[in-house]
Amino acid sequence: MALFPAFAGAAQPGEPIAGCSKGSTRELDWLSNPSFSAEDALLLHQRTTEVADLIPEKSPLVRTTSRFELSEENDTDESLKQTSKKRKKKKHHHSKKTKRKTKGDSSSSESDVDTKHIKDKGSGKRSEREAAANLGKKASNVTSSRSIWLDDIQAPTADTFRIDKKPDPANWAYKSLYRGDIARYKRKGESCLGIDAKKHCITWDSSASKRKQVQSRPERYFTKSNVKMLNTDGILVCNKNSPSDSPAFIPVSQVETDDSSDTTEVNPLGIYDQSTTVWLQGKGCKSADSGSVNTQQTTQEPGINMNSILMTKVEEHNKKVRENPRDINAWMEFISFQDELMRGPSLYASSGEQELRRKSLKLILEKKLAILERAIESNPSNIDLKLARLKLCTEFWEPPALIKEWQKLIFLHPNNPEMWKKYLLFCQSQFTTFSVSKINSLYGKCLTTLAAVQDGSMVSHPLLPGTEEAMLAIFIQQCHFLRQAGHSEKAVSLFQALIDFTFFKPDSVKDLPTRGQVEFFEPFWDSGEPRIGEKGARGWKAWMHQQEKGGWVVLKPDDEDDEEIDEDQEIKDKTLPKWHIWLDIEYSREARHWLPWRPDKAKKETEEDCEDPERQVLFDDLGPSLIRLSNPRLQHQLLYSFLQFLGVPCTSKPFPSSLYVAMDENNIFDSVLYDDKPLTSVDFPLSGFSSIGHMDTMLRGRHQIGHCKEGEEFIQNVFQVLSQIFTGKEKSNLAICWLQYEISKVIQCLQAKKKKKLKAQGRKSKKLAKNFLKAPDNRNNLCLWKLYAYLEWLLGNTDDARKVFDTALCTAGAGGLKSAQLCSLSLLYAQLEVELLESIEGAVMSRAVHILTKLTENGPYVPYSGQVLSVNVLKARKTYEHALQDYLSKTPVSDQDQVNDTDQLVNLVGCYALFQYLTVGIDAAVLIYTQASEKLEASGSQKCENTGENFGILNFPTALEAVTLLHTNLLRFHMKISVYPLNPLREALMEALKRYPSNQSLWRSYIHIQRKSHSASKARRFFDNVTRSSNSLEPWLFAIQAEQMRKKLTEKVQRADVGEIHCTIPETGLTNRIVALFEHAVQSENGTHCPLLWRMYLNFMASLGKKEKSKGLFYKALQNCPWAKVLYMDAVEYFPDDLQETLDLMTEKELRVRVPMEELDLLLEI
């Protein structure tokens, strides 16, 4: 049988072909295979054909193959499976088999031939058709079995082949053939296979690994391997022992060999490395293993260097805590060091483990916790370590478990007020366990326990220093907590009760312990007698005396027409949305109903007549919180805290522990009269703190000036009652606070441009000021004269104000520069006159110079006549210079003298600098401020700061801080009326803010001058430095405000609302920057529980239109400040569809809801 169908006519061996010679026959011998049995092949083909005929045709597709060579040794189906496995194994030797085929090796064994899968590609289509036809004729009789035997094939021929009619379903399911059936080589050329092996050219595909290497791209900087490389420290370029002066170039360290004399012959220039030099010497090079080890050490040298440094630090910390386990600072430093340690590679892991090691936060916390537990074992009585452990455990434990740990700690240290403060703040900020009644009772328990420690009834624990002051701070924090939760009546009642309990205490109960005094106070509170702020209030002491004599004589009260707002009139427009109406009514009732409800005996009212039971305050709600204050300074602090709570501006500030927790109003950025009057711009000390009765949303803002009629009467009664208690200076201070409150309402009218309201308020304020000055004790009080004149100036009565100023200066006498009040009066008068000037030219002859000149003369004041003598100007300059030197070199004797001297020095520097500005120029004035600041900074500014920590009425700003304010205000005014560079003002503000990062006035000035700058990079770097170095929250707040102002300016210039985009300011990513600032701020220690910060964040996200993110942020804010009612009211405005859900949440947490939804539905139906 012929090997190839195309040469089927070739003669078999031994049979000569007709017409051919012997030579031609020998040339065709390679076409025949003597070892090939045609009969066996035909039988095998017949068997396979019968199997194919038995399978039904399911597809029109028919797969044909030219020839199949099957094994003779295996006749079963299992043998066929084994043969297919052998084929797969022999694919790897495909190239070798191809060579054997091309050589025509006929000596192959029969089994080898059977296992080869030969595809005849030389056969033409014509021969295939003929073979298929012959096979169909000869294979007509087949059995029913799937297996076909060679013996069953009838009349086998040489051209018998198999037709495979079984379809492959995979070709339908997939888009391409199975990759194992596709040849891995590509032919080049068109030569026929088997003719000339030299002409064959086959290209094999590359392996998968090589293809992956070709397709792999260079890794970016953020990949895991590159980030790990960036985290490792580099090799130190210069020696640490080298001098500090940096050289002109970086020297390259030379590698010195051990035997330098032998290498000079082969390496005379020193340009070969060590391995090349050794090879040139004929010596054997190091083994590959040692070379790879050296290479590995070289590549790991940065990690080794860093490991050695970190290892040294670890040993040092361990040595410190081992040798001195009582050193708390060493333990704290060791705990803080864990953050630095985890940033580097592991010290105790191999190189492979270092790559797989994950530096998770949990790992750091667990290490810190283990160190803290060791520290607590060595210091079981230390509280700081225990507080640090509890703070750390907040990341691991659930709130109930944490509360139990806190309770254990409080049980062990019930006399520690600082621990109580942290415990109260922790419980107050746990959303899952929070409710107003629980927290309020917890405040009462805290104050009761500390009062027992103060009385000495708790013998097991001694009284710690500063406990009384801490108790007052906790009490004020409780009042602000109730105000923020909406329970204004309870907060006001707490203040009323403690003021009565402190200032009107009968002499007969003063020697009793605190709880005994509270028991005597309860009958007075429940008797229905007028309390502080109510008409006819006489106090607890007078009530006790009168009870001993037989009670009060009830007088018939005057009939007064009380203006009551009908409940039906609360809804002004029913067409508004439901949520809008709810907000209006809630705000209206919050402003009118912040006073506790008392039954009116004249109208025969009882407690059952109260429509809202929440407005009644029982003694059980406030009895546990009553404390005993024996320090006069703390008693005054209580009064001024109450006035501040009511919205009266005073110099007292909240305690630092409750400073940012009570900050919830957005007026911290308001600069009243900032641009119009730079020298006399008003800075309210209450910025950021909402007063009672004002609970406005962020979008609405405050639109009510002062309080309602009942509220104003209440404040007036409070001032009248307190004025009866004090005499002398304290009484005048109360009068000053009262008049400042009236002036603040005038300024609010000016800011809101309400002329009608301004006129009525002006008449009322002027009447009050005149009544004060008519009193015999206040006729010579220059502070009241100054406020009255300033009031006239604000109302626009400039001539009347000048008359008041001149009258006050004439009656002041000849105190001169030695009188602090006279200097303050003259400084304000001169500043108001300077603000009227349009330019500095000709200012030498102005009224302001006359005022400042007359201040230096010891004679009586003479009103301005239109001219100022030059001689008087020269004398005044010399007098100012000598007076300033005397005060800078003066040493205060006591703290009180120091405070007085501080006030006097500030006024003196302000007068002298303003005088130099008007007579010489701005540079001379700046020089005065610079000299005074340097002297104050070098000669005891730290002591002044310590004095300023007192929280009474004497809490003036430090001298350096006040001088800086005067300095910056003068520079702002000069820039307004003339051309002057911005850099001196910016530098002065930056230096001051580094010292006083919590001064809101300085921050307002800074962001106002920075808003005009085209580039914000310098301001951003400054904000970043201050926030890193300070724990104050003001830098974060003003940094966010500065970016928001810049965003508004950019949008205004681009006119995005109109649709026109003008890219004039190259600002991108402002939104992301602001969000990042918010995220960093809320993660800070003081910002986590600040309601104002969360309100600003929520307002910003809502302004972007991201409702889902804003809603998620709202719930995140509740996790940290669940007591702040203003957050819920903001959410009602941002998410009006969730009104019912928000009200249900407020009810669940027991926040004050004055308008339930059921009542609102009834009001809408009327």
Side-chain angles (χ1 to χ4, degrees), residues 738-746 757-774 784-785 787-801 804:
W738 195 350
L739 194 53
Q740 283 179 343
Y741 174 62
E742 297 296 329
I743 292 176
S744 67
K745 291 189 288 186
V746 171
K757 179 74 174 176
L758 176 63
K759 191 174 181 180
Q761 183 63 43
R763 287 196 304 265
K764 183 180 177 181
S765 302
K766 286 165 60 175
K767 181 180 179 181
L768 178 66
K770 291 178 180 179
N771 291 333
F772 278 141
L773 292 174
K774 287 178 182 179
L784 291 176
W785 280 101
L787 291 176
Y788 176 42
Y790 183 54
L791 176 63
E792 291 283 2
W793 198 285
L794 288 175
L795 293 173
N797 306 325
T798 307
D799 296 334
D800 296 338
V804 175

Short mmCIF file of all heavy atoms in Angstrom, two decimals, residues 738-746 757-774 784-785 787-801 804:
data_model
loop_
_atom_site.label_atom_id
_atom_site.label_comp_id
_atom_site.label_asym_id
_atom_site.label_seq_id
_atom_site.Cartn_x
_atom_site.Cartn_y
_atom_site.Cartn_z
N TRP A 738 -24.75 95.52 81.96
CA TRP A 738 -26.11 95.83 81.53
C TRP A 738 -26.10 96.80 80.34
O TRP A 738 -26.80 96.60 79.33
CB TRP A 738 -26.90 96.41 82.70
CG TRP A 738 -28.38 96.44 82.48
CD1 TRP A 738 -29.05 96.20 81.32
CD2 TRP A 738 -29.39 96.74 83.46
NE1 TRP A 738 -30.40 96.32 81.50
CE2 TRP A 738 -30.64 96.64 82.80
CE3 TRP A 738 -29.35 97.08 84.81
CZ2 TRP A 738 -31.84 96.89 83.46
CZ3 TRP A 738 -30.57 97.31 85.46
CH2 TRP A 738 -31.79 97.22 84.80
N LEU A 739 -25.30 97.84 80.44
CA LEU A 739 -25.22 98.81 79.36
C LEU A 739 -24.59 98.21 78.10
O LEU A 739 -24.98 98.53 76.98
CB LEU A 739 -24.44 100.05 79.83
CG LEU A 739 -24.55 101.30 78.96
CD1 LEU A 739 -26.01 101.68 78.73
CD2 LEU A 739 -23.81 102.46 79.61
N GLN A 740 -23.61 97.33 78.28
CA GLN A 740 -23.03 96.65 77.11
C GLN A 740 -24.06 95.77 76.41
O GLN A 740 -24.04 95.63 75.18
CB GLN A 740 -21.83 95.79 77.56
CG GLN A 740 -20.57 96.58 77.84
CD GLN A 740 -19.43 95.69 78.29
OE1 GLN A 740 -19.66 94.55 78.70
NE2 GLN A 740 -18.23 96.20 78.28
N TYR A 741 -24.95 95.17 77.17
CA TYR A 741 -26.02 94.36 76.57
C TYR A 741 -26.94 95.23 75.72
O TYR A 741 -27.33 94.83 74.61
CB TYR A 741 -26.79 93.66 77.68
CG TYR A 741 -28.01 92.90 77.21
CD1 TYR A 741 -27.89 91.83 76.33
CD2 TYR A 741 -29.28 93.27 77.65
CE1 TYR A 741 -29.01 91.14 75.91
CE2 TYR A 741 -30.40 92.58 77.23
CZ TYR A 741 -30.26 91.51 76.35
OH TYR A 741 -31.36 90.83 75.92
N GLU A 742 -27.27 96.43 76.21
CA GLU A 742 -28.11 97.33 75.41
C GLU A 742 -27.39 97.80 74.16
O GLU A 742 -27.99 97.91 73.08
CB GLU A 742 -28.53 98.53 76.27
CG GLU A 742 -29.38 98.17 77.48
CD GLU A 742 -30.72 97.58 77.09
OE1 GLU A 742 -31.24 97.96 76.02
OE2 GLU A 742 -31.24 96.73 77.84
N ILE A 743 -26.08 98.07 74.28
CA ILE A 743 -25.31 98.50 73.11
C ILE A 743 -25.22 97.38 72.08
O ILE A 743 -25.27 97.62 70.86
CB ILE A 743 -23.92 98.98 73.55
CG1 ILE A 743 -24.04 100.27 74.36
CG2 ILE A 743 -23.00 99.18 72.36
CD1 ILE A 743 -22.73 100.76 74.92
N SER A 744 -25.10 96.14 72.55
CA SER A 744 -25.03 95.00 71.61
C SER A 744 -26.31 94.89 70.79
O SER A 744 -26.27 94.56 69.60
CB SER A 744 -24.77 93.71 72.38
OG SER A 744 -25.88 93.37 73.20
N LYS A 745 -27.45 95.18 71.40
CA LYS A 745 -28.70 95.14 70.64
C LYS A 745 -28.76 96.29 69.62
O LYS A 745 -29.31 96.10 68.52
CB LYS A 745 -29.88 95.21 71.60
CG LYS A 745 -30.06 93.96 72.45
CD LYS A 745 -31.36 93.95 73.24
CE LYS A 745 -31.34 94.93 74.38
NZ LYS A 745 -32.55 94.83 75.23
N VAL A 746 -28.20 97.44 69.97
CA VAL A 746 -28.13 98.54 69.00
C VAL A 746 -27.26 98.15 67.81
O VAL A 746 -27.60 98.42 66.64
CB VAL A 746 -27.59 99.81 69.69
CG1 VAL A 746 -27.31 100.90 68.66
CG2 VAL A 746 -28.59 100.31 70.72
N LYS A 757 -36.62 99.54 64.47
CA LYS A 757 -36.19 98.87 65.69
C LYS A 757 -35.02 99.61 66.33
O LYS A 757 -34.92 99.70 67.57
CB LYS A 757 -35.79 97.43 65.35
CG LYS A 757 -35.28 96.60 66.52
CD LYS A 757 -36.40 96.18 67.44
CE LYS A 757 -35.91 95.25 68.51
NZ LYS A 757 -36.95 94.89 69.49
N LEU A 758 -34.12 100.16 65.51
CA LEU A 758 -32.96 100.89 66.02
C LEU A 758 -33.39 102.13 66.80
O LEU A 758 -32.83 102.45 67.85
CB LEU A 758 -32.04 101.27 64.86
CG LEU A 758 -30.82 102.12 65.19
CD1 LEU A 758 -29.88 101.38 66.12
CD2 LEU A 758 -30.11 102.55 63.91
N LYS A 759 -34.39 102.82 66.28
CA LYS A 759 -34.84 104.03 66.94
C LYS A 759 -35.43 103.73 68.32
O LYS A 759 -35.13 104.41 69.32
CB LYS A 759 -35.89 104.73 66.06
CG LYS A 759 -36.25 106.12 66.50
CD LYS A 759 -37.18 106.77 65.47
CE LYS A 759 -37.53 108.19 65.89
NZ LYS A 759 -38.44 108.84 64.90
N ALA A 760 -36.26 102.68 68.39
CA ALA A 760 -36.87 102.32 69.68
C ALA A 760 -35.82 101.81 70.66
O ALA A 760 -35.82 102.17 71.84
CB ALA A 760 -37.94 101.27 69.45
N GLN A 761 -34.91 101.01 70.15
CA GLN A 761 -33.86 100.48 71.02
C GLN A 761 -32.92 101.58 71.48
O GLN A 761 -32.43 101.57 72.62
CB GLN A 761 -33.08 99.39 70.27
CG GLN A 761 -32.00 98.71 71.10
CD GLN A 761 -32.57 97.97 72.28
OE1 GLN A 761 -33.59 97.28 72.18
NE2 GLN A 761 -31.93 98.10 73.43
N GLY A 762 -32.66 102.56 70.63
CA GLY A 762 -31.80 103.67 71.01
C GLY A 762 -32.40 104.49 72.15
O GLY A 762 -31.68 104.88 73.09
N ARG A 763 -33.67 104.77 72.07
CA ARG A 763 -34.33 105.52 73.16
C ARG A 763 -34.26 104.75 74.48
O ARG A 763 -33.97 105.32 75.53
CB ARG A 763 -35.78 105.80 72.79
CG ARG A 763 -35.98 106.84 71.72
CD ARG A 763 -37.41 107.33 71.70
NE ARG A 763 -38.36 106.23 71.54
CZ ARG A 763 -38.84 105.86 70.35
NH1 ARG A 763 -38.44 106.49 69.25
NH2 ARG A 763 -39.71 104.88 70.28
N LYS A 764 -34.49 103.46 74.41
CA LYS A 764 -34.46 102.65 75.63
C LYS A 764 -33.06 102.59 76.22
O LYS A 764 -32.87 102.71 77.44
CB LYS A 764 -34.96 101.24 75.29
CG LYS A 764 -35.04 100.30 76.48
CD LYS A 764 -35.55 98.93 76.04
CE LYS A 764 -35.57 97.97 77.22
NZ LYS A 764 -36.04 96.62 76.82
N SER A 765 -32.06 102.44 75.38
CA SER A 765 -30.68 102.33 75.86
C SER A 765 -30.19 103.66 76.43
O SER A 765 -29.51 103.69 77.48
CB SER A 765 -29.76 101.88 74.71
OG SER A 765 -30.19 100.64 74.18
N LYS A 766 -30.53 104.76 75.79
CA LYS A 766 -30.12 106.08 76.30
C LYS A 766 -30.78 106.38 77.64
O LYS A 766 -30.15 106.95 78.55
CB LYS A 766 -30.49 107.16 75.27
CG LYS A 766 -29.58 107.16 74.06
CD LYS A 766 -30.15 107.96 72.91
CE LYS A 766 -30.37 109.40 73.26
NZ LYS A 766 -30.82 110.20 72.11
N LYS A 767 -32.00 105.97 77.79
CA LYS A 767 -32.68 106.18 79.06
C LYS A 767 -32.00 105.39 80.18
O LYS A 767 -31.79 105.91 81.29
CB LYS A 767 -34.14 105.76 78.93
CG LYS A 767 -34.97 105.95 80.19
CD LYS A 767 -36.41 105.52 79.96
CE LYS A 767 -37.24 105.69 81.24
NZ LYS A 767 -38.64 105.25 81.03
N LEU A 768 -31.62 104.16 79.89
CA LEU A 768 -30.93 103.36 80.89
C LEU A 768 -29.57 103.96 81.25
O LEU A 768 -29.19 104.03 82.44
CB LEU A 768 -30.75 101.93 80.36
CG LEU A 768 -30.00 100.95 81.27
CD1 LEU A 768 -30.80 100.69 82.54
CD2 LEU A 768 -29.71 99.63 80.55
N ALA A 769 -28.82 104.43 80.26
CA ALA A 769 -27.51 105.02 80.53
C ALA A 769 -27.63 106.28 81.37
O ALA A 769 -26.82 106.51 82.30
CB ALA A 769 -26.80 105.32 79.21
N LYS A 770 -28.60 107.11 81.08
CA LYS A 770 -28.79 108.33 81.86
C LYS A 770 -29.19 108.01 83.31
O LYS A 770 -28.73 108.68 84.25
CB LYS A 770 -29.85 109.22 81.21
CG LYS A 770 -29.40 109.82 79.88
CD LYS A 770 -30.51 110.64 79.25
CE LYS A 770 -30.06 111.24 77.92
NZ LYS A 770 -31.14 112.04 77.26
N ASN A 771 -30.01 106.99 83.48
CA ASN A 771 -30.38 106.60 84.84
C ASN A 771 -29.17 106.12 85.63
O ASN A 771 -29.05 106.38 86.83
CB ASN A 771 -31.45 105.51 84.80
CG ASN A 771 -32.79 106.03 84.29
OD1 ASN A 771 -33.08 107.23 84.43
ND2 ASN A 771 -33.59 105.16 83.72
N PHE A 772 -28.27 105.41 84.96
CA PHE A 772 -27.05 104.96 85.63
C PHE A 772 -26.20 106.15 86.08
O PHE A 772 -25.68 106.20 87.20
CB PHE A 772 -26.23 104.05 84.72
CG PHE A 772 -26.70 102.63 84.70
CD1 PHE A 772 -26.71 101.90 83.52
CD2 PHE A 772 -27.14 102.01 85.87
CE1 PHE A 772 -27.14 100.59 83.50
CE2 PHE A 772 -27.57 100.69 85.85
CZ PHE A 772 -27.58 99.98 84.68
N LEU A 773 -26.04 107.12 85.18
CA LEU A 773 -25.17 108.26 85.49
C LEU A 773 -25.79 109.21 86.51
O LEU A 773 -25.09 110.00 87.14
CB LEU A 773 -24.85 109.03 84.20
CG LEU A 773 -23.97 108.27 83.20
CD1 LEU A 773 -23.84 109.06 81.90
CD2 LEU A 773 -22.60 108.00 83.78
N LYS A 774 -27.10 109.13 86.69
CA LYS A 774 -27.74 109.97 87.70
C LYS A 774 -27.49 109.46 89.12
O LYS A 774 -27.63 110.21 90.07
CB LYS A 774 -29.25 110.03 87.44
CG LYS A 774 -29.63 110.88 86.25
CD LYS A 774 -31.14 110.85 86.04
CE LYS A 774 -31.52 111.66 84.79
NZ LYS A 774 -33.00 111.62 84.55
N LEU A 784 -18.76 104.11 82.47
CA LEU A 784 -20.15 104.34 82.08
C LEU A 784 -20.27 105.55 81.16
O LEU A 784 -21.06 105.54 80.20
CB LEU A 784 -21.02 104.52 83.31
CG LEU A 784 -21.23 103.28 84.18
CD1 LEU A 784 -22.02 103.63 85.43
CD2 LEU A 784 -21.96 102.21 83.39
N TRP A 785 -19.49 106.60 81.43
CA TRP A 785 -19.49 107.76 80.53
C TRP A 785 -19.01 107.36 79.13
O TRP A 785 -19.56 107.81 78.12
CB TRP A 785 -18.58 108.85 81.10
CG TRP A 785 -19.21 109.67 82.19
CD1 TRP A 785 -19.01 109.54 83.53
CD2 TRP A 785 -20.14 110.74 82.03
NE1 TRP A 785 -19.75 110.46 84.22
CE2 TRP A 785 -20.46 111.22 83.33
CE3 TRP A 785 -20.74 111.35 80.93
CZ2 TRP A 785 -21.34 112.27 83.54
CZ3 TRP A 785 -21.63 112.40 81.15
CH2 TRP A 785 -21.92 112.85 82.43
N LEU A 787 -19.21 104.40 77.69
CA LEU A 787 -20.22 103.60 77.01
C LEU A 787 -21.39 104.45 76.55
O LEU A 787 -21.95 104.23 75.46
CB LEU A 787 -20.70 102.48 77.93
CG LEU A 787 -19.70 101.37 78.24
CD1 LEU A 787 -20.28 100.39 79.26
CD2 LEU A 787 -19.29 100.62 76.98
N TYR A 788 -21.76 105.43 77.34
CA TYR A 788 -22.87 106.30 76.95
C TYR A 788 -22.49 107.14 75.72
O TYR A 788 -23.29 107.28 74.77
CB TYR A 788 -23.25 107.21 78.12
CG TYR A 788 -24.32 108.23 77.80
CD1 TYR A 788 -25.42 107.89 77.03
CD2 TYR A 788 -24.23 109.56 78.25
CE1 TYR A 788 -26.41 108.83 76.73
CE2 TYR A 788 -25.21 110.49 77.95
CZ TYR A 788 -26.29 110.13 77.18
OH TYR A 788 -27.27 111.04 76.88
N ALA A 789 -21.27 107.68 75.72
CA ALA A 789 -20.82 108.45 74.56
C ALA A 789 -20.72 107.57 73.32
O ALA A 789 -21.08 107.99 72.20
CB ALA A 789 -19.48 109.11 74.88
N TYR A 790 -20.24 106.37 73.50
CA TYR A 790 -20.13 105.44 72.36
C TYR A 790 -21.51 105.08 71.83
O TYR A 790 -21.71 104.94 70.60
CB TYR A 790 -19.37 104.18 72.81
CG TYR A 790 -19.13 103.18 71.70
CD1 TYR A 790 -18.51 103.55 70.52
CD2 TYR A 790 -19.53 101.86 71.84
CE1 TYR A 790 -18.27 102.64 69.50
CE2 TYR A 790 -19.31 100.94 70.83
CZ TYR A 790 -18.68 101.34 69.66
OH TYR A 790 -18.47 100.43 68.65
N LEU A 791 -22.49 104.96 72.72
CA LEU A 791 -23.86 104.69 72.30
C LEU A 791 -24.41 105.83 71.45
O LEU A 791 -25.03 105.59 70.39
CB LEU A 791 -24.73 104.47 73.53
CG LEU A 791 -26.23 104.27 73.30
CD1 LEU A 791 -26.49 103.01 72.49
CD2 LEU A 791 -26.98 104.20 74.64
N GLU A 792 -24.16 107.06 71.87
CA GLU A 792 -24.61 108.21 71.07
C GLU A 792 -23.92 108.22 69.71
O GLU A 792 -24.54 108.55 68.68
CB GLU A 792 -24.31 109.51 71.83
CG GLU A 792 -25.15 109.72 73.08
CD GLU A 792 -26.56 110.19 72.74
OE1 GLU A 792 -26.89 110.31 71.55
OE2 GLU A 792 -27.35 110.44 73.68
N TRP A 793 -22.65 107.85 69.68
CA TRP A 793 -21.90 107.84 68.41
C TRP A 793 -22.48 106.78 67.47
O TRP A 793 -22.59 107.01 66.26
CB TRP A 793 -20.42 107.56 68.70
CG TRP A 793 -19.52 107.94 67.57
CD1 TRP A 793 -19.34 107.26 66.40
CD2 TRP A 793 -18.67 109.08 67.48
NE1 TRP A 793 -18.43 107.90 65.60
CE2 TRP A 793 -18.00 109.02 66.24
CE3 TRP A 793 -18.39 110.15 68.34
CZ2 TRP A 793 -17.06 109.99 65.84
CZ3 TRP A 793 -17.47 111.10 67.93
CH2 TRP A 793 -16.82 111.02 66.69
N LEU A 794 -22.82 105.60 68.00
CA LEU A 794 -23.38 104.55 67.16
C LEU A 794 -24.74 104.94 66.60
O LEU A 794 -25.09 104.56 65.47
CB LEU A 794 -23.52 103.25 67.97
CG LEU A 794 -22.22 102.51 68.31
CD1 LEU A 794 -22.52 101.33 69.22
CD2 LEU A 794 -21.52 102.03 67.04
N LEU A 795 -25.51 105.69 67.38
CA LEU A 795 -26.83 106.11 66.92
C LEU A 795 -26.76 107.23 65.89
O LEU A 795 -27.79 107.66 65.37
CB LEU A 795 -27.68 106.56 68.11
CG LEU A 795 -28.05 105.44 69.10
CD1 LEU A 795 -28.75 106.02 70.31
CD2 LEU A 795 -28.93 104.40 68.43
N GLY A 796 -25.56 107.71 65.60
CA GLY A 796 -25.38 108.77 64.61
C GLY A 796 -25.40 110.17 65.17
O GLY A 796 -25.29 111.15 64.40
N ASN A 797 -25.49 110.30 66.48
CA ASN A 797 -25.50 111.63 67.11
C ASN A 797 -24.06 112.02 67.45
O ASN A 797 -23.63 111.94 68.61
CB ASN A 797 -26.37 111.61 68.37
CG ASN A 797 -27.78 111.10 68.08
OD1 ASN A 797 -28.33 111.36 67.01
ND2 ASN A 797 -28.35 110.37 69.02
N THR A 798 -23.31 112.44 66.45
CA THR A 798 -21.88 112.72 66.65
C THR A 798 -21.67 113.92 67.57
O THR A 798 -20.81 113.87 68.47
CB THR A 798 -21.20 112.97 65.30
OG1 THR A 798 -21.49 111.88 64.41
CG2 THR A 798 -19.70 113.09 65.46
N ASP A 799 -22.43 114.99 67.38
CA ASP A 799 -22.26 116.18 68.21
C ASP A 799 -22.61 115.89 69.67
O ASP A 799 -21.89 116.32 70.59
CB ASP A 799 -23.11 117.33 67.68
CG ASP A 799 -22.67 117.78 66.29
OD1 ASP A 799 -21.48 117.58 65.98
OD2 ASP A 799 -23.51 118.32 65.54
N ASP A 800 -23.69 115.17 69.89
CA ASP A 800 -24.06 114.81 71.27
C ASP A 800 -23.00 113.91 71.90
O ASP A 800 -22.69 114.05 73.10
CB ASP A 800 -25.41 114.11 71.29
CG ASP A 800 -26.54 115.03 70.83
OD1 ASP A 800 -26.35 116.26 70.90
OD2 ASP A 800 -27.61 114.52 70.42
N ALA A 801 -22.45 112.99 71.09
CA ALA A 801 -21.41 112.12 71.62
C ALA A 801 -20.17 112.92 72.01
O ALA A 801 -19.54 112.66 73.06
CB ALA A 801 -21.04 111.06 70.58
N VAL A 804 -20.73 114.55 75.30
CA VAL A 804 -20.60 113.60 76.41
C VAL A 804 -19.13 113.31 76.70
O VAL A 804 -18.71 113.28 77.87
CB VAL A 804 -21.38 112.31 76.09
CG1 VAL A 804 -21.16 111.27 77.20
CG2 VAL A 804 -22.85 112.60 75.92
#
